[in-house]
Amino acid sequence: MTTVNAAFRDASWLVNPDTRSPKKAHVLLANGDPACGLNAMMCDPQPAELISTLSRCQRPGCKAAWPQ
């Protein structure tokens, strides 16, 4: 069985990254892009099942891809 990976977006290269609000983790496709279509650079991938339910992206592509 293939491991589903997830990652948070990397905004460290921005001059003023938003550090006030909690960020969501996104399920990664095989090419490393977020399943929801977010256009962003992603941080270090990790197994999706390790991501808290509250931290999971709920956009259509990611929501359908999170492991149960």
Side-chain angles (χ1 to χ4, degrees):
M1 184 169 145
T2 304
T3 301
V4 176
N5 285 323
F8 292 90
R9 69 184 174 98
D10 179 7
S12 62
W13 57 274
L14 294 172
V15 175
N16 294 314
D18 175 10
T19 57
R20 294 172 286 158
S21 61
K23 304 300 173 236
K24 298 294 182 179
H26 302 271
V27 174
L28 300 178
L29 301 173
N31 66 0
D33 291 339
C36 64
L38 179 71
N39 186 15
M41 223 171 24
M42 304 308 286
C43 289
D44 301 325
Q46 57 185 299
E49 59 268 4
L50 299 179
I51 304 292
S52 162
T53 304
L54 296 174
S55 296
R56 294 177 175 189
C57 173
Q58 294 301 306
R59 292 178 181 155
C62 283
K63 186 175 183 177
W66 285 107
Q68 298 300 323

